């Protein structure tokens, strides 16, 4: 790489990307961002209709798989179909996950376990499957997991499952960064705070409830605004490209300074 052409550090053209949870808010950002940057993108999601809508916003080569990474076999199949379609996998973006909000006394153990499975176990299974293929290829790779500011900070509204799951993702990111570093595979996580999505759209509205919640939240955000999807695109491109080759085991907070204060 040459410092005379610094934009080349961020070049992902013709790289093969697998995105799980591609029908969700972050998955859609990842699909549009990386396909727009020239990557070949494989979208995987359980909601085929929503995934097709995301695929329609992409440019370049895309492939859709109607499946979730909810078992060892399912994750292996996602990697196999990605390789069968485009010949390899260079980047894995785990955008799949879930949240269930309930105070601890009201949350059934099965609900807690469901959040942990979706956010932790499935991330681990997907990273395991992708890392195995990347190591066989012998040319390194990029694994980007989805964390949250809630992996670092608690929340009083019934987030025990979500906070615990994202803290586990942070620990996994650090451990895999150490473990896979010698192979040339980097493992990092993006940890946003509230950003615009179908689930959070109400917080951006001018209703009394939204205004009260928003103002209370923004009092702790140095940048003074909620996040936009574009705020996740830059960090994702960095972590997916050669620009981040010396960065691994990091949790990158896309939070307007929320976790800094």
């Amino acid at each position: 790489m040459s410092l005379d052409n610094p934009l080349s550090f961020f070049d992902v053209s013709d790289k093969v990307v697998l995105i799980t949870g591609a029908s969700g808010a972050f998955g859609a950002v990842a699909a549009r961002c990386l396909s727009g940057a020239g990557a070949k993108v494989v979208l995987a999601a359980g909601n085929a209709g929503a995934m097709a809508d995301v695929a329609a916003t992409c440019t370049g080569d895309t492939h859709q798989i109607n499946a979730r990474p909810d078992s060892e076999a399912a994750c292996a199949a996602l990697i196999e179909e990605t390789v069968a379609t485009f010949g390899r996998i260079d980047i894995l973006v785990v955008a799949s996950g879930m949240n269930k909000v309930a105070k601890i006394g009201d949350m059934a153990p099965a609900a807690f376990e469901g959040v942990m499975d979706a956010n932790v176990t499935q991330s681990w299974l997907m990273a395991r499957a992708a890392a195995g293929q990347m190591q066989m290829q012998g040319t390194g790779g990029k694994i980007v997991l989805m964390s949250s500011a809630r992996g670092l900070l608690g929340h009083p509204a019934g987030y025990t499952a979500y906070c615990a799951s994202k803290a586990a993702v942070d620990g996994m990111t650090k451990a895999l960064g150490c473990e896979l570093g010698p192979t040339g595979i980097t493992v990092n996580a993006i940890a946003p705070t509230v950003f615009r999505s179908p689930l959070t759209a109400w917080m951006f509205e001018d209703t009394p409830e939204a205004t009260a919640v928003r103002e209370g939240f923004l009092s702790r955000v140095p940048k003074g605004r909620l996040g936009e999807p574009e705020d996740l695109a830059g960090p994702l491109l960095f972590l997916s490209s050669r620009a981040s080759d010396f960065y691994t085991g990091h949790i990158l907070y896309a939070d307007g300074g929320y976790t800094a204060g």
Side-chain angles (χ1 to χ4, degrees):
M1 293 187 292
S2 171
L3 293 176
D4 295 330
N5 184 18
L7 291 180
S8 67
F9 299 171
F10 299 90
D11 184 12
V12 295
S13 57
D14 295 323
K15 295 293 185 180
V16 178
V17 185
L18 169 61
I19 303 168
T20 67
S23 62
F26 180 59
V29 170
R32 290 186 62 190
C33 171
L34 295 175
S35 68
K40 299 174 181 177
V41 175
V42 176
L43 309 176
N47 187 329
M51 179 172 57
D53 291 340
V54 172
T57 70
C58 295
T59 58
D61 294 332
T62 61
H63 178 72
Q64 299 174 56
I65 307 175
N66 184 201
R68 292 186 173 93
D70 53 8
S71 69
E72 180 181 4
C75 292
L78 287 172
I79 297 298
E80 290 170 5
E81 187 164 342
T82 297
V83 174
T85 303
F86 291 125
R88 58 187 299 109
I89 178 172
D90 301 300
I91 303 161
L92 168 69
V93 179
V94 178
S96 48
M98 67 180 297
N99 186 18
K100 291 185 179 179
V101 179
K103 296 295 182 70
I104 190 168
D106 299 323
M107 177 172 276
F112 178 87
E113 292 167 1
V115 174
M116 295 298 287
D117 178 68
N119 295 349
V120 184
T121 304
Q122 292 181 26
S123 294
W124 184 85
L125 287 171
M126 222 35 263
R128 180 175 182 267
Q133 176 63 33
M134 291 172 177
Q135 286 177 287
M136 283 196 299
Q137 293 168 183
T139 53
K142 303 285 183 177
I143 296 176
V144 182
L145 303 180
M146 188 63 176
S147 184
S148 166
R150 294 298 156 207
L152 180 67
L153 302 172
H155 195 287
Y159 275 59
T160 54
Y162 190 73
C163 289
S165 71
K166 294 305 183 180
V169 169
D170 291 352
M172 185 192 315
T173 299
K174 295 173 184 178
L176 287 177
C178 295
E179 180 178 331
L180 296 175
T183 71
I185 300 169
T186 65
V187 184
N188 296 288
I190 295 178
T193 184
V194 176
F195 73 98
R196 191 188 300 270
S197 73
L199 291 177
T200 63
W202 68 273
M203 288 186 66
F204 292 77
E205 297 173 355
D206 291 327
T207 64
E209 179 188 8
T211 300
V213 172
R214 186 170 61 246
E215 288 179 352
F217 181 76
L218 292 180
S219 68
R220 291 192 55 195
V221 180
K223 290 296 290 183
R225 65 173 176 84
L226 301 177
E228 297 290 347
E230 292 80 5
D231 295 318
L232 303 180
L236 176 64
L237 184 58
F238 168 67
L239 295 178
S240 301
S241 67
R242 293 181 297 169
S244 61
D245 277 356
F246 199 56
Y247 295 76
T248 196
H250 284 277
I251 293 87
L252 182 52
Y253 293 99
D255 66 356
Y258 179 65
T259 57

